Amino acid sequence: MSIPRSEYPRPQFVRDQWLCLNGTWQFEIDYADTGRERGLRDVELKGSITVPFCPESPLSGVGHFDFMNAVWYRRTVMIPRQWGGQNVLLHFQAVDHDATVWVNGTFAGRHRGGFTPFTCDLTGIAQAGQEITIVVRARDLKGNMIGQAGGKQCPGYERSGCMYTRTTGIWQTVWLEPVPAVYLMRPRLTPDMTTGTLRILQPVTNSRPGTSVRATLADDKGAVVTATVPADLDFTPTVELKIPAQRLRPWSIEDPFLYGLTIELLDSAGAVVDKFDSYAGMRSVTIDGMAVKINGKKVFQRLVLDQGYYPDGILTAPSDEALVKDIEISQAAGFNGARLHQKVFEERFLYHADRLGYIVWGEFGDWGQDRPRARATYITQWLEALQRDYSHPSIVGWCPLNESAEEITDEISGTDDLTLGLYYATKAMDPTRPVLDASGYSHRVPFVDIYDSHDYDQAPATFAQRHAGLAKGEPFVNNGGHAHSRWSQPYRGQPYFVSEFGGIWWNPKAAKDEPSWGYGQRPQDVEEFYNRFKGLCDALLDDPNMMGYCYTQLTDVFQEQNGVVYFDRGEKFDMKKLHAIQSRQAAIEK
């Protein structure tokens, strides 16, 4: 039997040796979260599940849709003998929401947050050639869903509106990896197009005197540049790779060129003690008045809202090919990128976006909670996402919040605190990209980099009128009309886009009594759809001050049936027609 999702889960940080632990695990639902008291940690579990698919999904083999306050996993594996002399790391790419891990009955680690990876160091617990039993308890308490970052997971039993099937427990790859006692951690790769330099901030664990870091950048002709720096002088070594002008090839939508990158850790004798392979794209993101530029060129961002749901895997793509297909569908329809909406997408999606020239905005799954009750864990989890994804050239902006809504008053505001905290954490972590404090509704940060609105007006004429004020510095803003919303700081001339629009309701296959929805009235026929789609897109493409747009949405998602394709990715429309509508030059690009 083949191992599901067996591709390497971390393509920008690749070591040669690893062991995928996806496949069949023992599994048991702990409805009341009493399993610890009942001894589930130390006994065989009653059922089984296919990892990495969540128990709500058909692909897991469980298909349980009701609330599960806790779930338990158990698997016995043999650590390869050839890993002798190395430490062993146990990686979880994502577990929703509160995960505790034991190995051979010993506590190995705990992590809160359903979107980001965590690692358990098994040093002192297990070693090469040893059989180990891994036990995982994942808690996703129903009462905690308010105040917990869950994205579009429905807080009630039934799916409704734009809330979808929940995800509980393991939903991305689990794997083992051997590392030496002193090893390299995930780097931060920063392209500097002004000087043609790739800057590498390379953490090293427990560095020793005399160690050094060597980095080599390569293109299709071979090695471009190599540099070596001491690893024991600065707390985090920085390697600068100056690329000769004749070998400098910028990453762009039209030419998504990626350099190969090898980073090695050398001991005091010059021997390689650790090594990994990566890649890097050289590109810049800048603001020029109302426009956003990539490598100094104005680019109108023709984005689509991508929520990353699948009918059989829920939040988990059924295959690596499915991730690629979603990008290819979007590009075939004329989009050049996506808002990765209310979900921190898995790393392999970003890898494919990097190599296919597909620009994306990284977003946090903050939705579904009462923001004044939000805790520091929001910022913690968002920082983990930024740390993981910082080095991807396809990411051209960050947006930690979506549709936060609270009137600005004299009262102390939890929304202000959370929005400012997430915004400044983002800016501190990454000063190289623009940040949108909150997509739609409440812009709480003065002088935020990007300003936006959500507008689902279905009539192209009135839609255009609503956005005509942008020319006078009075853009449409949610809840308040033009210029000054009672929910937002005033607009101050930033680049502006309509980051959600359209959402045209269309599913000719749906039965008349089938519960489904989209925005506005359903078109009478497909030609009315094309006319409405064109009219809405034209209103934004023709605006010389509009930096881009984001159409809702790429696929149908359960009852929300307003996608460019069906939920199973079957074709709804003539993609060539959609592509032709979107592919003409936008006014801001002229």
Side-chain angles (χ1 to χ4, degrees), residues 21-343:
L21 300 185
N22 293 346
T24 302
W25 288 56
Q26 292 180 27
F27 178 76
E28 190 167 332
I29 299 171
D30 181 7
Y31 293 100
D33 188 26
T34 58
R36 185 81 181 269
E37 294 90 330
R38 292 185 289 114
L40 288 188
R41 190 194 70 178
D42 303 313
V43 298
E44 301 289 306
L45 302 178
K46 295 177 181 178
S48 65
I49 192 171
T50 300
V51 169
F53 303 108
C54 69
E56 291 88 348
S57 70
L59 288 176
S60 71
V62 178
H64 183 86
F65 298 101
D66 206 343
F67 287 96
M68 294 170 275
N69 280 322
V71 292
W72 290 77
Y73 298 80
R74 183 183 182 93
R75 181 170 176 181
T76 299
V77 298
M78 178 69 71
I79 300 176
R81 293 186 181 279
Q82 58 266 36
W83 293 2
Q86 301 183 85
N87 297 338
V88 178
L89 304 180
L90 172 60
H91 299 293
F92 295 85
Q93 289 301 110
V95 182
D96 196 344
H97 171 266
D98 175 6
T100 306
V101 182
W102 297 269
V103 174
N104 289 344
T106 300
F107 172 79
R110 186 177 182 185
H111 180 263
R112 283 179 291 279
F115 295 106
T116 47
F118 66 97
T119 298
C120 302
D121 189 337
L122 303 188
T123 303
I125 299 176
Q127 58 189 355
Q130 181 181 357
E131 186 176 76
I132 61 172
T133 298
I134 303 166
V135 174
V136 180
R137 180 194 62 189
R139 294 194 290 189
D140 204 8
L141 302 177
K142 183 177 186 293
N144 281 358
M145 291 198 72
I146 294 177
Q148 176 177 305
K152 291 296 192 77
Q153 301 182 58
C154 56
Y157 172 72
E158 294 280 1
R159 296 187 295 258
S160 62
C162 53
M163 304 301 287
Y164 316 127
T165 298
R166 290 173 296 279
T167 288
T168 301
I170 297 170
W171 67 277
Q172 289 186 35
T173 292
V174 184
W175 54 297
L176 290 172
E177 176 185 39
V179 294
V182 180
Y183 62 93
L184 300 162
M185 300 180 73
R186 186 189 294 269
R188 287 162 58 88
L189 310 178
T190 305
D192 182 346
M193 291 297 291
T194 301
T195 63
T197 302
L198 178 68
R199 291 189 174 85
I200 304 167
L201 192 66
Q202 180 56 68
V204 178
T205 64
N206 305 314
S207 187
R208 304 288 191 269
T211 57
S212 58
V213 171
R214 180 169 63 200
T216 302
L217 197 71
D219 61 14
D220 48 9
K221 296 178 182 178
V224 175
V225 59
T226 298
T228 304
V229 300
D232 58 347
L233 296 182
D234 294 311
F235 187 76
T236 304
T238 300
V239 187
E240 296 192 349
L241 299 178
K242 173 71 173 176
I243 303 172
Q246 65 272 21
R247 304 283 286 275
L248 180 60
R249 185 173 168 184
W251 183 97
S252 66
I253 294 171
E254 299 78 16
D255 181 24
F257 179 74
L258 299 172
Y259 289 92
L261 177 64
T262 299
I263 299 182
E264 299 165 302
L265 180 65
L266 312 178
D267 65 16
S268 57
V272 176
V273 295
D274 192 18
K275 170 189 171 183
F276 68 84
D277 293 317
S278 184
Y279 64 85
M282 294 295 294
R283 66 100 188 88
S284 65
V285 181
T286 55
I287 288 174
D288 180 2
M290 300 290 287
V292 175
K293 291 182 173 180
I294 298 177
N295 303 326
K297 175 186 175 183
K298 293 179 180 179
V299 174
F300 187 89
Q301 298 185 22
R302 298 163 172 82
L303 309 179
V304 69
L305 197 76
D306 186 351
Q307 306 204 70
Y309 273 80
Y310 301 85
D312 48 2
I314 314 300
L315 282 182
T316 310
S319 66
D320 195 49
E321 292 75 19
L323 297 172
V324 177
K325 184 176 182 180
D326 281 358
I327 296 173
E328 292 176 340
I329 288 170
S330 178
Q331 291 174 324
F335 299 103
N336 60 16
R339 268 185 72 201
L340 304 182
H341 189 50
Q342 284 302 290
K343 172 186 174 182

Side-chain angles (χ1 to χ4, degrees), residues 1-15:
M1 182 179 177
S2 62
I3 299 174
R5 297 304 309 272
S6 59
E7 62 280 346
Y8 196 86
R10 198 181 58 191
Q12 209 172 19
F13 184 18
V14 179
R15 287 194 175 91

Side-chain angles (χ1 to χ4, degrees), residues 458-580:
Q458 296 293 298
T462 56
F463 182 76
Q465 289 175 358
R466 286 155 76 106
H467 295 282
L470 183 58
K472 300 182 294 182
E474 297 181 351
F476 174 82
V477 291
N478 296 100
N479 197 299
H482 291 276
H484 301 290
S485 168
R486 58 190 176 90
W487 286 355
S488 294
Q489 291 281 339
Y491 174 71
R492 293 181 170 92
Q494 301 97 322
Y496 175 94
F497 73 127
V498 182
S499 60
E500 288 186 28
F501 80 107
I504 304 171
W505 187 5
W506 183 252
N507 182 1
K509 293 182 178 180
K512 289 184 178 181
D513 58 349
E514 179 180 335
S516 69
W517 71 278
Y519 291 93
Q521 293 295 316
R522 300 189 210 208
Q524 294 299 307
D525 53 41
V526 72
E527 288 304 317
E528 183 181 340
F529 172 90
Y530 290 130
N531 290 335
R532 190 187 302 180
F533 181 84
K534 182 178 186 302
L536 296 173
C537 290
D538 283 350
L540 303 178
L541 288 165
D542 289 339
D543 190 327
N545 298 304
M546 189 72 62
M547 61 154 274
Y549 59 57
C550 181
Y551 181 81
T552 302
Q553 63 179 320
L554 181 63
T555 76
D556 292 349
V557 183
F558 295 110
Q559 68 277 0
E560 188 174 353
Q561 297 177 358
N562 50 15
V564 172
V565 293
Y566 293 108
F567 198 15
D568 65 2
R569 277 57 174 176
E571 192 167 293
K572 274 189 185 182
F573 305 108
D574 184 336
M575 291 301 204
K576 291 181 180 179
K577 286 188 177 183
L578 300 184
H579 192 283

